[in-house]
Amino acid sequence: MEKTIKNVQDLYEMLDAEFRSAKQFWEPFYEDRDRPIPFFPNKPDENLVEQVNSGLLTGGKAMELGCGPGRNALYLTQAGYSVDAYDLSETAIAWAKERAAEVQLDVNFECRSVFELEPQQEYDLVYDSGCLHHLLPHQRIPYIQMITNALKPGGYFGMTCFAPGFGGLGGPETVMNDWEVYQERSMKGGLAFTEEKLRYLLEDPFECVELRPMQAMGKGDDRFGLPILWVTLWRKPLTDKKKGD
Ligand SMILES: C[S@@+](CC[C@H](N)C(=O)[O-])C[C@H]1O[C@@H](n2cnc3c(N)ncnc32)[C@H](O)[C@@H]1O
């Protein structure tokens, strides 16, 4: 029954309806490929390259969430992963498919919302570069649950997101707590996370492997790196933490 709140899903829908649609924002975002957006060049995140080169990430099956034009999905494929990569924006996915065709890489790029996905213990790696910090606070609940379900025991969740204190340098101008997002009905361009907040959100269900500022990379580097972002890597425990208590 429309506009009746019986369950958590109804509550999420009510909260979503208070904000602009993410698809409306992201669809035109990729139309002009020449805009000076830092993550438009086809370069993988510096942390991902380091984790592959160090032997921490060794291949298998990977899923990228909010993949945009596919720079990290393409890199992971070259690094030996079989990759499913999803984004809300048709325009971004079309660009990603063109990039894959240019170098004859086989990547499963699909235009889908992360909230439509229901994978079960399929992936060795789930990667998110800049998607979570654009999700509304309540959307993190099904998002993190979906990622937990998607990973095999011992699988990794890699993520980059805004750090606080970089307003004017490309990060959010304001650091908002989650309640303020609903009071102001806006995320003001994306949410910045303190280290404490990231640990609070992710230490249950995951174990922290790495959490550090991203290294700065220049235009001439073949990797992407902006120090306004955190770099994080988490591992799903081999056994369910709660059952092991
Ligand atoms: C900051 S961009 C990062 C793009 C890409 N990961 C990169 O770093 O090049 C965030 C991306 O998340 C996508 N996104 C936001 N909400 C999403 C959702 N619910 N489902 C799938 N993708 C989403 C947007 O379309 C956008 O491409």
Side-chain angles (χ1 to χ4, degrees), residues 22 26 30 39 64-69 71-72 86-89 92 112-115 129-131 133-135:
W26 288 107
Y30 294 100
F39 58 86
E64 191 183 1
L65 301 167
C67 63
R71 57 194 182 84
N72 288 309
Y86 302 104
D87 200 281
L88 262 191
S89 162
R112 287 175 72 181
S113 166
V114 297
F115 301 112
S129 187
C131 183
H133 63 200
H134 291 295
L135 300 183

Side-chain angles (χ1 to χ4, degrees), residues 46-47 50 212-217 223-227 229 231:
E46 59 86 3
N47 47 297
E50 191 192 287
R212 62 167 172 84
M214 196 178 226
Q215 282 180 48
M217 294 285 144
R223 292 172 290 164
F224 169 87
L226 273 186
L229 297 169
V231 159

Side-chain angles (χ1 to χ4, degrees), residues 142-161:
Y143 187 63
I144 293 170
Q145 186 61 57
M146 182 274 285
I147 293 166
T148 312
N149 295 345
L151 284 170
K152 296 175 185 169
Y156 290 101
F157 170 43
M159 202 253 299
T160 76
C161 65

Side-chain angles (χ1 to χ4, degrees), residues 153-181:
Y156 290 101
F157 170 43
M159 202 253 299
T160 76
C161 65
F162 287 130
F166 293 98
L169 294 174
E173 293 291 337
T174 329
V175 176
M176 306 173 81
N177 68 42
D178 289 346
W179 289 22
E180 285 168 334
V181 171

